Amino acid sequence: MATIIGPTLPDPYYSTVESIRDELVDKFGVDEYVNPFPHFTLYALDDDVDTATVEAAVEEATEEHSPFSVHTDGIGIFPGNVVWLPVAKSPQLTALHSDVVRAVENLGTAPEPYYEPQRWFPHVGFALDVDDERTRDIVSFLLEYDFEWDFTVDNITITRPPADRSEYEVVASVDL
């Protein structure tokens, strides 16, 4: 598990993602999504980082950024059958990502290399590590939804698993 740095979605998209994740648990028996806060990740660090230091770095990195719109559409699958909703890169999103990565990358260890600028695919996760058959069924199910969304990114939220390794918690949120 990792400390996650990224915008949470505004409603109604936040609630829609929560509802879809619940449906995936009920209909397909997938595990509940590890980080229950609908978001897309800008960067991840190991879970023993000092979150106050991370928050201060994010605040400084985002000083020159203001809210901006992003667009989503489609369904993606990462290796290991991770099912997700793509978030289209834009100049504003790419600049925010770069600034946040530069500000926090030396504060801890990144558990995955996938959030480095040259490898980053912004996305909202739906299901993790699902077998092939259920992945096909989940994708078919998700194709019934209209994921062509436009919403405003206006925050960077920092979440992490608590010491007892149960559900993630929000430890800070920085407004753009």
Side-chain angles (χ1 to χ4, degrees), residues 33-128:
Y33 203 79
V34 66
N35 186 329
F37 304 101
H39 71 284
F40 59 94
T41 302
L42 297 174
Y43 204 67
L45 294 165
D46 50 11
D47 60 356
D48 61 355
V49 297
D50 177 31
T51 54
T53 304
V54 172
E55 180 181 7
V58 169
E59 285 175 349
E60 186 174 325
T62 59
E63 283 178 346
E64 302 299 317
H65 292 273
S66 21
F68 60 92
S69 292
V70 295
H71 183 79
T72 65
D73 202 5
I75 302 293
I77 302 172
F78 286 133
N81 292 339
V82 175
V83 182
W84 48 279
L85 168 65
V87 177
K89 288 184 182 179
S90 67
Q92 297 93 341
L93 181 55
T94 300
L96 177 65
H97 176 252
S98 294
D99 289 348
V100 168
V101 170
R102 275 195 302 271
V104 302
E105 66 186 341
N106 293 320
L107 300 179
T109 303
E112 298 287 339
Y114 305 116
Y115 299 104
E116 298 301 327
Q118 70 278 11
R119 298 182 73 182
W120 180 58
F121 287 92
H123 65 279
V124 178
F126 285 125
L128 300 170

Side-chain angles (χ1 to χ4, degrees), residues 117-149:
Q118 70 278 11
R119 298 182 73 182
W120 180 58
F121 287 92
H123 65 279
V124 178
F126 285 125
L128 300 170
D129 302 320
V130 182
D131 61 66
D132 290 346
E133 184 176 333
R134 283 192 298 171
T135 298
R136 283 189 295 276
D137 294 342
I138 288 169
V139 169
S140 293
F141 170 77
L142 292 175
L143 289 173
E144 296 175 19
Y145 284 88
D146 178 6
F147 289 120
E148 189 173 348
W149 299 344

